[in-house]
Amino acid sequence: MADISFEQTQPASLPRLTPLAARAIVLACLSIGAGAAWISVSPAASVAALEAAGPDLTRLLRGMAAIKALLGAALLAGICWRLASPISPAGLAVYGAASAAMGAGLVLTWSLTLLAAGAVLLHLGLFGGLIVLARDKAVGQRLHRLLLKR
């Protein structure tokens, strides 16, 4: 498989995104995904799902969601670290989509409504983001520079 390269190669006339702006875009995508899922969940459906699941299953599913939220936070930290290097708009879109899917999946899983859709979105965001981050050439280059400094 070929490495993925999201290095920014755009004409000099277009302004480059600063790392802070790129990180803000990814965090906005995460918030939009979570917000859209939150809006789509009806409070009555969430209460009904909680009552139907019972306290033990609710604790189990929410515990799993909390663990995956920690994994998502670690992945998001890795993405934000990667965004310190220049990135193309396509690369930023991929990282933003993974973040949005993670946010939506976590909200749907936590509310216990639309569990299948929540699981698909959450895992798509986690695994998709992790795979793209691992295959990104800029990550390898930054790691190589860090190792050479030591």
Side-chain angles (χ1 to χ4, degrees), residues 14-81:
L14 294 176
R16 286 186 162 204
L17 281 175
T18 65
L20 183 62
R23 291 173 182 151
I25 290 170
V26 168
L27 293 176
C29 289
L30 175 76
S31 300
I32 289 169
W38 183 71
I39 289 171
S40 71
V41 172
S42 117
S46 184
V47 169
L50 287 170
E51 289 174 358
D56 292 337
L57 184 58
T58 299
R59 273 194 300 273
L60 174 70
L61 291 174
R62 285 191 168 173
M64 290 171 53
I67 290 169
K68 290 180 183 187
L70 290 174
L71 293 172
L75 177 62
L76 192 62
I79 290 172
C80 287
W81 176 81

Side-chain angles (χ1 to χ4, degrees), residues 2 12 19 24 35 40 48 50 56 69 74-75 81 89 95 102 107 109 116 125 135 150:
S40 71
L50 287 170
D56 292 337
L75 177 62
W81 176 81
Y95 289 125
M102 279 190 302
V107 168
T109 303
R135 305 284 301 163
R150 293 182 181 226

Side-chain angles (χ1 to χ4, degrees), residues 7-22 84-87 89:
E7 293 177 19
Q8 192 169 18
T9 56
Q10 59 185 5
S13 62
L14 294 176
R16 286 186 162 204
L17 281 175
T18 65
L20 183 62
S85 300
I87 189 164

